[in-house]
Amino acid sequence: EQDQSSNSVAPLRMVVISDTHGFEGALSKFVSEEDGNPHSNDFLLPQADVLLHCGDFAASGSRKTQRAAARRLDEFLARQTHIPEKIVVQGNHDPDSTAKVLFPSSKAIYVRSSSTITVNGVHVALEPFSRRMAYRNSRRQSASASSAASSFPKCDILVSHEPPKHVLDLTYHGFSAGSFYLKDLVERAEHKPRLWLCGHIHESRGIVTKQFKTNEEDESKSTIVINASNANSGRANRIVSGAVVVEIER
């Protein structure tokens, strides 16, 4: 059998974007040749194995407006032919579409419910925005810690629209707007994700290392949390930050 040691297997390379709100075409101006893209004027993102959008590609508005936003994102993603896998997690501004294929040109996967996927040997848990479900589930699971722990899948990466409560979730009003539910779910999980990718709070873009635990005796490994929001603070009207490129060992 062929040796699959860490030295012989290349890491999974991801390009992560979030909260583009229809302005994703401007992302290319933040890309340079050092990022693996010598054609920044062609609306291209850096080279990667997978592109992850953490939600809010649209903005609040009519169904017609949201459908137009989906078409624009599909066109943009279809240009990224150098990235074979594309996944879009539903944000709070995104359409609750029942269409089997929302992005026909790019063939991007649109995630509207909790699910898992394996990309080149790396296990990814996907949690779209759903405040109603989060509230209902948190009430149900608060009665059983073991139930909460078993409901979170073993994964290497967690991708959600919302950040965890009190982690990269501070709004410009000074309010902590992250998810209690997701934070509790990870804290109670037996296996913590190595990486947590999110967005939602534009002004809290950044990276931190956090140990999610229920008590001081918990010796769980730390998780790297990245808020990859691209839009300006407050109501989105432009892109102010580029895509995040991150690699994780398989």
Side-chain angles (χ1 to χ4, degrees), residues 104-144:
S105 297
S106 64
K107 296 181 173 56
I109 299 171
Y110 186 42
V111 181
R112 294 178 49 246
S113 60
S114 301
S115 57
T116 58
I117 190 171
T118 300
V119 181
N120 294 354
V122 175
H123 303 292
V124 184
L126 304 162
E127 286 286 345
F129 181 89
S130 182
R131 193 177 299 280
R132 182 176 63 181
M133 283 299 296
Y135 177 73
R136 186 171 70 186
N137 287 343
S138 64
R139 284 180 61 89
R140 179 189 302 152
Q141 293 174 353
S142 64
S144 173

Side-chain angles (χ1 to χ4, degrees), residues 7-215:
N7 292 329
S8 62
V9 180
L12 180 71
R13 181 177 168 93
M14 297 166 286
V15 166
V16 187
I17 58 178
S18 187
D19 298 83
T20 53
H21 293 285
F23 302 105
E24 51 275 340
L27 287 168
S28 61
K29 71 180 182 180
F30 296 94
V31 182
S32 67
E33 292 189 28
E34 293 179 357
D35 297 312
N37 174 22
H39 309 293
S40 59
N41 60 338
D42 292 333
F43 300 100
L44 298 185
L45 294 173
Q47 182 73 43
D49 300 304
V50 60
L51 188 158
L52 295 166
H53 195 305
C54 298
D56 275 4
F57 61 85
S60 296
S62 65
R63 291 184 179 180
K64 181 178 180 180
T65 300
Q66 290 189 326
R67 286 196 297 267
R71 286 194 297 270
R72 286 196 302 271
L73 181 65
D74 190 28
E75 292 172 2
F76 174 78
L77 295 179
R79 292 173 179 259
Q80 318 304 317
T81 56
H82 56 296
I83 306 178
E85 301 283 346
K86 303 172 183 71
I87 301 170
V88 180
V89 172
Q90 183 183 21
N92 56 300
H93 289 289
D94 297 333
D96 192 24
S97 174
T98 57
K100 291 184 178 180
V101 181
L102 189 63
F103 305 113
S105 297
S106 64
K107 296 181 173 56
I109 299 171
Y110 186 42
V111 181
R112 294 178 49 246
S113 60
S114 301
S115 57
T116 58
I117 190 171
T118 300
V119 181
N120 294 354
V122 175
H123 303 292
V124 184
L126 304 162
E127 286 286 345
F129 181 89
S130 182
R131 193 177 299 280
R132 182 176 63 181
M133 283 299 296
Y135 177 73
R136 186 171 70 186
N137 287 343
S138 64
R139 284 180 61 89
R140 179 189 302 152
Q141 293 174 353
S142 64
S144 173
S146 60
S147 173
S150 63
S151 65
F152 185 75
K154 183 179 180 181
C155 64
D156 301 297
I157 303 170
L158 170 59
V159 182
S160 66
H161 180 58
E162 297 170 282
K165 190 70 174 180
H166 302 305
V167 181
L168 299 177
D169 72 335
L170 201 65
T171 70
Y172 62 93
H173 293 302
F175 176 67
S176 178
S179 171
F180 271 122
Y181 166 65
L182 291 176
K183 182 181 180 183
D184 181 68
L185 199 64
V186 173
E187 284 180 342
R188 295 179 183 275
E190 181 179 357
H191 302 283
K192 320 293 186 185
R194 290 186 280 158
L195 178 64
W196 188 337
L197 303 171
C198 58
H200 190 45
I201 309 302
H202 307 169
E203 48 269 43
S204 281
R205 175 184 168 96
I207 178 172
V208 298
T209 300
K210 172 74 175 178
Q211 190 175 27
F212 293 96
K213 56 185 181 179
T214 55
N215 55 66

